[in-house]
Amino acid sequence: MAIITLTSDWGTKDHYAGAVKGRLLQGLKDVVIVDISHQIPAFDILQAAFILKNAFAGFPGDSIHIVGVNTDASINTPHVAIRYRGHYFIGADNGVFSLIFEEPPSLIVELDIMQDTDFFTFSSRDVFAKAAIHLAEGRDMASLGTVRTTINEKLSFKPVFEGNIIKAKVIYVDSYENVFVNINQEHFRKMVGKHAFHIAFRSSRYKISHISKSYSDVPEGEMIALFSSSGYLEIAMNRGKASSLLGLRMDDPVHIVLD
């Protein structure tokens, strides 16, 4: 049974998700279609990458992941199918895949697929769904188009050391208003070592000097720092909304200060 996931900025009001699912069901008799998220902000490949990166590994091998965000094709951003860590990814090569992958993919194919319509505004239905059906049927991925050796790189901001300060930033806010910072547990341990530290944000108005294990490690309503299941540093509040109550938004700076 084929498993196909959808990650998009379509929302749930319009027909887009339903139209793609209908096209997949037309072509496949035995398929499970999973909505990872359709609430990505319009054209926001950074948030799409964060969500899919933290979801795809939980699916069985050979799952097919369609990315319906910023899908217009051009010479510089072609449509592609990619094999990575035993999974298939289909979308526009606009940099989103470089934000998901931690090493080079095993195979990249620039898609050469004839559309069934004369409209070029709905690639997820008219191109990506056809590629997904092809792969779900066990057919050769390379026959979908031209093999490439690289994908487009989207450079993301990396934490940097300046003096005794690690400068990081907010990369995601979830529906609970937990705030995710672009430093993972491994990098944190390497950079901080055995130093005493504090985490500062909002012009150092707020400080946290301890990494906790769970939300309940602090009283209800207090702020907390921990490493979440995503692997990234998370700033949260026990049963509270950290983003709005602490004034933390996407791209806001977060500093880890070595004391």
Side-chain angles (χ1 to χ4, degrees):
M1 179 183 295
I3 297 174
I4 300 175
T5 79
L6 302 175
T7 303
S8 80
D9 57 5
W10 304 327
T12 54
K13 173 180 178 290
D14 300 311
H15 64 280
Y16 303 114
V20 173
K21 291 178 184 180
R23 180 67 184 88
L24 292 168
L25 292 168
Q26 278 185 355
L28 296 168
K29 294 180 179 180
D30 198 13
V31 61
V32 174
I33 303 171
V34 179
D35 299 298
I36 290 181
S37 177
H38 296 306
Q39 305 299 329
I40 309 294
F43 312 113
D44 193 332
I45 64 171
L46 295 175
Q47 293 202 41
F50 182 90
I51 290 171
L52 186 51
K53 181 176 183 177
N54 286 290
F56 86 87
F59 287 85
D62 292 329
S63 293
I64 301 163
H65 308 283
I66 293 176
V67 183
V69 179
N70 199 16
T71 59
D72 284 352
S74 69
I75 293 175
N76 294 322
T77 59
H79 293 152
V80 293
I82 299 173
R83 182 73 166 169
Y84 173 76
R85 290 189 178 178
H87 291 247
Y88 296 103
F89 295 80
I90 301 169
D93 187 20
N94 51 29
V96 66
F97 298 116
S98 70
L99 297 170
I100 297 171
F101 304 157
E102 295 180 358
E103 65 265 351
S106 54
L107 181 61
I108 308 161
V109 176
E110 182 175 335
L111 299 178
D112 183 12
I113 293 177
M114 291 292 294
Q115 291 196 179
D116 294 329
T117 74
D118 294 328
F119 303 102
F120 295 91
T121 59
F122 199 0
S123 304
S124 297
R125 180 194 64 189
D126 297 334
V127 177
F128 302 165
K130 292 184 76 171
I133 292 167
H134 176 101
L135 295 172
E137 291 174 338
R139 290 189 275 168
D140 180 32
M141 178 174 156
S143 66
L144 285 170
T146 304
V147 174
R148 297 165 57 95
T149 57
T150 60
I151 56 175
N152 283 324
E153 295 287 335
K154 174 74 174 180
L155 297 178
S156 58
F157 177 82
K158 304 293 185 183
V160 295
F161 246 127
E162 288 190 8
N164 67 326
I165 298 174
I166 304 168
K167 293 187 173 181
K169 73 170 186 175
V170 176
I171 56 170
Y172 189 72
V173 178
D174 71 12
S175 58
Y176 294 97
E177 296 199 26
N178 300 318
V179 176
F180 296 81
V181 180
N182 66 327
I183 182 168
N184 63 32
Q185 190 169 22
E186 180 183 358
H187 289 151
F188 184 90
R189 287 174 175 169
K190 287 181 178 178
M191 291 175 146
V192 173
K194 296 182 179 180
H195 289 279
F197 68 90
H198 67 269
I199 301 166
F201 45 94
R202 298 300 296 170
S203 300
S204 298
R205 178 182 174 188
Y206 298 105
K207 295 181 181 180
I208 304 173
S209 57
H210 177 70
I211 300 295
S212 299
K213 294 291 187 182
S214 69
Y215 303 111
S216 59
D217 285 352
V218 299
E220 188 170 321
E222 287 197 12
M223 60 185 181
I224 188 172
L226 69 165
F227 285 97
S228 70
S229 58
S230 71
Y232 287 97
L233 180 65
E234 181 180 332
I235 296 170
M237 297 185 75
N238 184 10
R239 297 186 178 272
K241 297 180 177 181
S243 176
S244 56
L245 292 174
L246 301 177
L248 279 169
R249 300 288 185 267
M250 285 287 295
D251 295 322
D252 278 356
V254 175
H255 293 166
I256 296 100
V257 183
L258 305 186
D259 297 323

